[in-house]
Amino acid sequence: MITADRDTFRAALPEGGRMLGLDVGSKTVGTALCDAGWSFASPALLVRRTKFTADKAALVRLSAEQHVVGWVIGLPLNLDGSESPRSQSTRAFARNCADLPYPILLWDERWSTQAVTRALIEQDVSRAKRAERVDNLAAAYILQGAIDGLTLT
């Protein structure tokens, strides 16, 4: 099941359980995990994109190891909320994962990379280290927004 509606996603999940956040890029997939109580999200494994089947297998392995019950995938929309080529690519990625036993929530990620990059610059992190960390931190930012949206409504 793939949805952009948080109520539909919430209804498909068991009570509690870890979720996996994904920031899907063309070269990497940043990942993040939240605790079973849906309080906080933390960066996890960075998956370097190769073939889709290998990428998917790495994400399934991580999900199984961490007892994940649902996935939150960042949907990169244009600033005006319209779809972009990257949005379509992310939707295709989600559709190709729809056979997995995880409900998938597509979450608006318009500001995730900018917010994370700004925070790293404020912390005086070098450009090279920012490049290494930004995808996983963006995944954590996306997942935190989703769990806040699921628990605060």
Side-chain angles (χ1 to χ4, degrees):
M1 178 210 66
I2 302 169
T3 185
D5 181 73
R6 66 178 130 187
D7 293 330
T8 303
F9 179 71
R10 177 72 181 92
L13 295 172
E15 192 59 39
R18 299 186 85 179
M19 285 188 282
L20 179 69
L22 303 173
D23 181 34
V24 179
S26 59
K27 295 180 182 173
T28 61
V29 178
T31 68
L33 292 160
C34 72
D35 62 304
W38 301 353
S39 299
F40 59 89
S42 302
L45 175 73
L46 181 67
V47 176
R48 300 221 181 268
R49 302 284 306 262
T50 57
K51 293 187 183 268
F52 177 77
T53 52
D55 302 344
K56 183 177 174 181
L59 296 171
V60 167
R61 217 172 13 262
L62 176 62
S63 296
E65 290 168 1
Q66 298 297 326
H67 309 288
V68 167
V69 297
W71 286 11
V72 176
I73 299 177
L75 183 63
L77 300 171
N78 290 321
L79 291 180
D80 65 0
S82 63
E83 298 272 330
S84 69
R86 281 195 57 223
S87 304
Q88 294 305 316
S89 175
T90 299
R91 286 186 185 278
F93 183 94
R95 279 192 306 274
N96 289 331
C97 294
D99 62 325
L100 299 174
Y102 310 108
I104 296 172
L105 175 64
L106 297 175
W107 191 260
D108 181 353
E109 67 137 304
R110 273 180 268 190
W111 298 103
S112 62
T113 300
Q114 292 87 346
V116 167
T117 301
R118 188 176 310 118
L120 290 171
I121 289 169
E122 288 171 3
Q123 295 171 20
D124 203 25
V125 175
S126 72
R127 184 178 301 264
K129 290 192 181 197
R130 283 196 312 262
E132 291 173 15
R133 297 179 186 171
V134 73
D135 293 326
N136 283 352
L137 289 171
Y141 187 90
I142 292 162
L143 182 55
Q144 187 67 53
I147 62 178
D148 288 348
L150 291 166
T151 58
L152 299 177
T153 59

